[in-house]
């Protein structure tokens, strides 16, 4: 008996069917059967299904004698299912890699619940991907099984059949089946979810829900959309037959009204001549099923009136939205004029020689190089006043105690930035910031560059999609000093940013903590995440891909890699910051972390602590490798898509030929490097030594001190083993004044 029976009805989907079936048959978890139902499809679906069945015994095909419709096609597959769990997969959707394995693990953990609800992502025909907006409901459900009454918010999720798997015994005991017509999921899903005694949630994207440009049945203009009324009649009939479900009638009453009004509001659903009739039938049904004493307010209150009133309300709503849209540019212009005026009020006042304004990672908080400079200034230059610019109140709430800050674009921010002598940032300041004569802008960057940056992106249209290079260069014109950790960075920044600035060979301030790491550094991270002190910690830090919309590509099976590392090892994963809030974590990372298979360090504010806690780094092309090399610990480069990456983004050198350690080109090679111990052999040490000599040249643990003493205080840097030469001055000599600074190469 297989664990899963996947019932796949097929009708006019020959262009998507192979992708759907491949996503199933290529799953790492193989204990399943596919019952493919050819719903008398007039295209090549039947032949494709027979082809797959001939080469894979897990696929069985039913050819229906006549077209039955989606619901009845699913019913046709039910008697042939022998699996523990039923999965109704639409034939134009696809499973994500590892989805069935994740479901099987979660079902076992939850002791075989009646229903397992999982997450999905919408994938658009133009390449975009968007995660389910209510994914947090699954995350908050926890590990224990529950009922709909215990967690009614589970019903706020999209009420469809394909984001769940169902225990076959539970379905057979209750005699659940699909009715004919459109919206057949409605009278299946509500009865199933309300009847289930044990529901479990899986906070993982297991399915890609294809948003077709054309061909979606529900986007077809037709009177078939009137079927929604019959489907809710079936839902209410089910509840009427189960007295224990009577308490759900007010909820279902409102849900029915909202659902029907949503259909009516969509311009592509109902023929114009039928819209008034649809409203009247909805209103009549709404009145008929209204529970005694039920509150009717909000959106559904319009059903208490007539169709003419509904139209007036809709027109008023559209007019209001249009007025808001038209007023927005005017409000922005007025706000911009007010901010400029406020800034001019302070522009005549002298600069505050001791005021330093900091920002990091687009105003996200006290992070990175600016944070290291700030902390060093507190230590050796207490006369300097440091103020941080943060993006919102949420970011401000996360700041350490005692940190002075202003919100970006606030009046206080305008006042502070108008009078500051020094600016320290790792991302460009907004274009509205006017650089006053005498002010000094110090740009720290965000690490050593491997992939193309700045003006070099002009030849990479995909990588600079939505990125205004000329505007970025205008902002970079404000830089006075550009910090570099090595000569490679110095040459790249001066080429990528053809502006007037001085390259300063300070090293990376944020890497000071790595260069001077004491024994046991990083133990706090291990303790917080329950990692045994004797475990070998492997940090996996992938970067984003410009050849994929959204930037995320699953390069390795994290669960398999964690298992390959073996006993006594812990896998820690840190996604690129730009992927932290997108679908990437929902593709399995969150669920694996919850189950303790690995540790998700994506939200850790200080990546330096994560690096210190690890014994080895696995990355692809992330700049984190240059920072990690300061620790002189093993690095493995996983470069299975190097050609695609360089074609889309460009790279300043071939990391596979000048790597900081061994290079893997497949998951099997990556696993072998660790199981064999080669990841830390003599060849790995030799490669790392060469890499460190080139890219850790100026990182000696005193970078932040150099910035504070030479750039903020105007002092000489004490001579010693850690001194480095700053262009335009003798070693240990005074820094040239900003107005006489040498220009960067152009």
């Amino acid at each position: 008996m297989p664990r899963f029976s996947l019932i796949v009805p097929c009708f006019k989907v020959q262009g998507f069917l192979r992708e759907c079936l491949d996503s199933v048959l290529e799953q790492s978890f193989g204990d399943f059967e596919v019952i493919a139902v050819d719903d008398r499809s007039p295209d090549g679906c039947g032949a494709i299904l027979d082809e797959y069945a001939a080469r894979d015994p897990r696929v069985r095909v039913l050819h229906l004698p006549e077209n039955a419709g989606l619901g009845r096609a699913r019913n046709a597959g039910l008697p042939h299912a022998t699996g523990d769990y039923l999965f109704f997969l639409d034939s134009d959707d696809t499973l994500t890699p590892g989805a069935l394995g994740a479901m099987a693990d979660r079902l076992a953990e939850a002791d075989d619940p009646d229903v397992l609800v999982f997450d999905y992502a919408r994938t658009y025909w133009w390449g975009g991907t968007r995660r389910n907006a209510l994914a947090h409901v699954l995350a908050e459900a926890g590990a224990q099984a529950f009922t709909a009454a215990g967690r009614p918010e589970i019903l706020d999720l999209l009420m469809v059949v394909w984001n769940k798997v169902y225990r076959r015994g539970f379905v057979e005991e209750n005699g659940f089946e699909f009715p004919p017509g459109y919206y057949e999921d409605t009278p299946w899903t509500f009865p199933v979810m309300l009847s289930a005694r044990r529901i479990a949630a899986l906070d993982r994207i297991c399915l890609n829900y294809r948003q077709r440009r054309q061909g979606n049945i529900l986007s077809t203009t037709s009177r078939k959309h009137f079927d929604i009324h019959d489907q809710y009649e079936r839902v209410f009939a089910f509840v009427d037959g189960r007295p224990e479900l009577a308490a759900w009638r007010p909820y279902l009453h409102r849900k029915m009204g909202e659902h029907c009004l949503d259909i009516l509001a969509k311009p592509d659903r109902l023929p114009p001549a039928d819209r008034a009739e649809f409203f009247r039938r909805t209103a009549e049904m709404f009145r008929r099923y209204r529970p005694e004493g039920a509150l009717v307010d909000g959106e559904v209150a319009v059903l208490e009136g007539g169709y003419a009133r509904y139209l007036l309300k809709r027109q008023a709503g559209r007019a209001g939205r249009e007025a808001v849209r038209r007023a927005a540019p005017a409000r922005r212009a007025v706000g911009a004029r007010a901010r400029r005026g406020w800034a001019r009020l302070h522009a005549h006042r002298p600069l505050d020689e001791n005021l330093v304004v900091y920002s990091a990672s687009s105003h996200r908080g006290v992070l990175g190089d600016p944070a290291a400079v700030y902390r060093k200034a507190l230590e050796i230059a207490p006369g300097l006043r440091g103020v941080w610019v943060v993006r919102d109140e949420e970011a401000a709430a996360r700041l350490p105690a005692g940190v002075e800050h202003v919100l970006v674009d606030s009046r206080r921010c305008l006042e502070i930035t108008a009078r500051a002598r020094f600016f320290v940032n790792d991302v460009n300041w907004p274009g509205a910031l006017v650089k006053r004569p005498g002010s000094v802008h110090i740009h720290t960057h965000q690490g050593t560059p491997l992939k193309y940056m700045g003006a070099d992106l002009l030849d990479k249209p995909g990588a600079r999609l939505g990125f205004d290079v000329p505007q970025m260069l205008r902002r970079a014109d404000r830089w006075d000093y550009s910090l570099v950790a090595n000569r490679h960075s110095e040459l790249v920044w001066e080429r990528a940013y053809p502006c007037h600035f001085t390259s300063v060979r300070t090293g990376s301030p944020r890497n000071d903590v790595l260069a001077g790491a004491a024994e046991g550094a990083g133990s706090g991270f291990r303790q917080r995440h329950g990692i045994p002190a004797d475990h070998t910690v492997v940090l996996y830090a992938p970067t984003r891909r410009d050849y994929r919309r959204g930037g995320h590509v699953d390069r390795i099976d994290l669960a398999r890699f964690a298992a390959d590392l073996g006993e006594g090892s812990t896998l820690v994963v840190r996604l690129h910051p730009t992927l932290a809030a997108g679908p990437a974590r929902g593709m399995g990372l969150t669920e694996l972390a919850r189950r303790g298979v690995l540790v998700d360090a994506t939200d850790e504010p200080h990546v330096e602590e994560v690096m210190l806690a690890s014994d080895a780094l696995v990355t692809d092309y992330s700049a984190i490798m240059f920072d990690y090399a300061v620790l002189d610990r093993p690095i493995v480069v996983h470069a299975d898509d190097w050609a695609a990456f360089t074609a889309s983004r460009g790279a300043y050198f071939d990391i596979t030929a000048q790597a900081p350690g061994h290079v893997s080109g497949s998951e099997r090679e990556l696993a072998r490097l660790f199981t064999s111990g080669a990841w830390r052999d003599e060849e790995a040490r030799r490669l790392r030594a060469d890499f460190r000599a080139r890219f850790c040249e100026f990182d000696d643990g005193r970078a932040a001190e150099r910035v504070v003493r030479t750039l903020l205080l105007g002092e000489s840097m004490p001579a010693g083993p850690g001194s480095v030469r700053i262009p335009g001055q003798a070693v240990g000599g005074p820094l040239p004044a900003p107005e006489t600074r040498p220009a960067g190469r152009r």
Side-chain angles (χ1 to χ4, degrees):
M1 180 185 297
R3 189 58 164 158
F4 296 105
S5 292
L6 287 90
I7 298 176
V8 187
C10 306
F11 183 75
K12 289 186 178 180
V13 288
Q14 64 178 10
F16 308 110
L17 184 53
R18 291 182 186 276
E19 186 180 359
C20 172
L21 295 174
D22 288 343
S23 77
V24 175
L25 299 178
E26 293 172 2
Q27 290 283 309
S28 56
F29 181 90
D31 188 17
F32 62 82
E33 64 181 359
V34 176
I35 301 168
V37 183
D38 172 19
D39 191 17
R40 196 65 177 177
S41 185
D43 58 6
C45 284
I48 293 172
L49 294 177
D50 289 339
E51 172 194 331
Y52 274 79
R55 66 172 189 250
D56 195 316
R58 294 174 297 181
V59 180
R60 287 186 288 159
V61 182
L62 302 178
H63 295 282
L64 301 186
E66 59 184 23
N67 178 250
L70 182 57
R72 288 180 171 176
R74 289 169 177 161
N75 291 341
L78 275 172
H80 301 272
T82 61
D84 297 328
Y85 280 85
L86 302 171
F87 185 175
F88 299 98
L89 176 65
D90 286 354
S91 48
D92 55 352
D93 295 337
T94 57
L95 297 186
T96 61
L100 291 182
M103 292 181 202
D105 290 341
R106 184 70 184 97
L107 289 170
E109 179 188 44
D111 194 22
D112 284 6
D114 295 329
V115 181
L116 174 67
V117 187
F118 54 81
D119 203 8
Y120 65 92
R122 296 176 187 266
T123 57
Y124 296 88
W125 61 270
W126 40 265
T129 300
R130 181 166 60 87
R131 188 178 186 181
N132 165 29
L134 294 176
H136 64 89
V137 172
L138 297 172
E140 294 163 1
Q144 301 302 314
F146 54 89
T147 62
R151 284 193 173 273
E153 61 272 18
I154 199 71
L155 300 180
D156 292 335
L157 297 173
L158 195 60
M159 283 288 100
V160 290
V161 66
W162 45 255
N163 64 351
K164 308 170 186 72
V165 293
Y166 313 87
R167 187 169 58 82
R168 184 165 59 89
F170 164 68
V171 171
E172 292 174 349
E173 290 164 11
N174 287 273
F176 294 127
E177 63 178 9
F178 293 92
Y182 281 15
Y183 305 101
E184 73 292 331
D185 285 5
T186 299
W188 167 282
T189 308
F190 280 118
V192 164
M193 294 297 285
L194 299 183
S195 301
R197 292 180 293 275
R198 300 181 67 252
I199 302 169
L202 173 60
D203 181 20
R204 186 195 194 278
I205 297 173
C206 295
L207 181 138
N208 289 318
Y209 175 31
R210 189 186 300 273
Q211 306 295 286
R212 292 161 65 176
R213 183 171 180 269
Q214 294 180 346
N216 186 328
I217 292 177
L218 292 185
S219 295
T220 303
T221 303
S222 165
R223 279 187 62 88
K224 288 288 290 179
H225 293 283
F226 279 79
D227 288 353
I228 188 63
H229 300 118
D230 292 337
Q231 306 297 22
Y232 272 102
E233 293 279 5
R234 293 183 172 99
V235 172
F236 284 115
F238 180 86
V239 172
D240 287 344
R242 306 281 184 102
E244 69 275 13
L245 299 180
W248 286 103
R249 285 182 63 87
Y251 171 86
L252 293 171
H253 174 254
R254 175 175 287 272
K255 181 64 72 172
M256 180 270 293
E258 292 172 346
H259 195 168
C260 292
L261 287 173
D262 182 62
I263 294 169
L264 185 60
K266 288 183 166 59
D268 58 353
R269 299 293 171 92
L270 295 159
D274 297 324
R275 296 172 65 82
E277 180 187 351
F278 185 90
F279 178 89
R280 286 192 295 271
R281 286 187 56 177
T282 300
E284 186 278 327
M285 189 174 177
F286 190 75
R287 288 190 295 271
R288 180 157 45 92
Y289 283 106
R290 179 177 178 177
E292 184 178 352
L295 179 65
V296 177
D297 59 358
E299 179 187 3
V300 295
V302 72
L303 292 170
E304 297 281 278
Y307 184 61
R309 182 179 174 185
Y310 165 79
L311 290 177
L312 286 173
K313 188 176 180 67
R314 291 273 299 170
Q315 290 166 0
R318 282 194 296 267
R321 289 190 294 273
E322 180 63 17
V324 170
R325 187 187 67 81
R326 290 177 179 273
R331 285 199 306 273
R332 286 195 295 269
V334 170
R337 285 196 298 271
R339 287 191 295 272
R340 287 194 297 270
W342 187 258
R344 281 196 294 270
L345 287 175
H346 297 275
H348 68 282
R349 300 173 64 186
L351 294 177
D352 184 338
E353 295 293 324
N354 295 317
L355 179 56
V356 188
V357 176
Y358 297 90
S359 179
S361 301
S362 300
H363 316 307
R364 288 198 300 117
V366 181
L367 304 168
D369 289 312
V373 174
Y374 169 76
R375 286 191 290 266
K376 183 58 67 173
L378 291 177
E379 176 188 335
I380 65 176
L384 295 177
R385 175 190 175 197
V387 180
W388 282 83
V389 177
V390 294
R391 60 186 179 185
D392 51 33
E393 293 288 359
E394 183 179 347
R398 293 195 298 266
L399 295 176
V403 173
E404 186 177 357
H405 67 276
V406 293
L407 299 183
V408 68
D409 287 338
S410 66
R411 284 190 173 186
R412 184 61 178 155
C413 180
L414 294 171
E415 178 183 345
I416 289 291
T417 55
R419 298 202 57 215
R421 163 73 163 157
F422 299 103
F423 292 81
V424 182
N425 198 351
D426 61 3
V427 177
N428 264 316
W429 294 97
L433 178 63
V434 177
K435 187 177 191 295
R436 290 186 61 186
S439 64
V440 178
H441 284 238
I442 301 167
H443 194 75
T444 71
H445 302 283
Q446 289 186 317
T448 294
L450 171 63
K451 54 194 175 188
Y452 277 7
M453 305 290 286
D456 290 331
L457 292 175
L458 289 171
D459 291 331
K460 297 292 181 181
R464 64 182 178 87
L465 181 66
F467 181 60
D468 190 335
V469 173
Q471 182 189 63
M472 178 271 301
L473 293 178
R474 286 192 295 272
R475 295 179 179 183
D477 283 332
R478 295 176 297 200
W479 301 353
D480 292 291
Y481 298 106
S482 166
L483 307 189
V484 298
N486 46 65
R487 297 169 206 266
H488 162 78
S489 296
E490 183 176 313
L491 295 174
V492 167
W493 296 140
E494 292 181 358
R495 164 182 148 174
Y497 299 97
C499 307
H500 294 276
F501 58 80
T502 294
S503 293
V504 190
R505 296 176 180 177
T506 57
S508 295
R510 70 179 184 276
N511 287 346
D512 289 349
V513 67
L514 305 181
E519 185 71 25
S523 59
F525 174 87
R526 288 188 176 221
Q527 291 171 5
R528 284 200 308 277
H529 293 281
I531 302 173
D534 61 345
H535 266 216
T536 297
V537 175
V538 177
L539 170 61
Y540 174 53
T543 193
R544 63 177 293 117
R545 284 356 189 232
D546 292 293
Y547 64 76
R548 175 69 63 87
R549 188 181 293 271
H552 175 68
V553 180
D554 274 324
R555 302 314 311 171
I556 64 175
D557 184 325
L558 296 176
R560 182 185 301 164
F561 183 44
D564 289 339
L565 292 176
E567 292 292 330
S569 297
T570 296
L571 177 63
V572 175
V573 179
R574 184 178 176 88
L575 296 179
H576 190 278
T578 61
L579 303 176
R585 295 167 86 172
M587 298 299 285
L589 178 57
T590 299
E591 174 65 10
L592 292 173
R594 186 193 65 79
R595 287 170 38 212
V597 174
L598 49 78
V599 173
D600 179 7
T602 303
D603 288 336
E604 287 288 331
H606 303 294
V607 67
E608 298 85 7
E609 188 180 11
V610 182
M611 289 190 279
L612 286 166
S614 64
D615 299 293
L617 170 70
V618 176
T619 186
D620 33 43
Y621 324 116
S622 171
I624 196 176
M625 74 177 80
F626 300 99
D627 303 321
Y628 198 84
V630 175
L631 288 169
D632 197 16
R633 297 176 187 175
I635 301 173
V636 173
V637 175
H638 186 57
D640 64 337
D641 65 339
W642 176 242
F645 182 85
T646 53
S648 62
R649 179 60 187 252
Y652 291 112
F653 65 94
D654 185 351
I655 192 62
T656 66
Q658 303 175 62
H662 290 295
V663 178
S664 59
S666 67
E667 288 190 73
R668 181 174 296 178
E669 289 180 14
L670 178 61
R672 191 182 302 122
L673 284 172
F674 281 90
T675 55
S676 67
W679 60 283
R680 54 182 173 186
D681 63 11
E682 189 57 40
E683 176 65 6
R685 284 189 285 273
R686 184 191 67 78
L687 292 169
R688 188 166 71 253
D690 292 344
F691 191 84
R692 280 169 47 79
R694 181 179 179 189
F695 296 109
C696 303
E697 186 178 4
F698 307 141
D699 280 327
D700 63 351
R702 302 186 70 186
E705 182 183 0
R706 288 190 189 93
V707 175
V708 175
R709 291 195 185 280
T710 62
L711 301 186
L712 300 184
L713 297 178
E715 299 176 353
S716 298
M717 186 72 184
S723 297
V724 295
R725 181 179 181 276
I726 299 176
Q729 71 171 70
V731 175
L735 189 72
E739 58 270 23
T740 61
R741 64 189 182 277
R745 293 187 186 92
R746 293 180 295 281

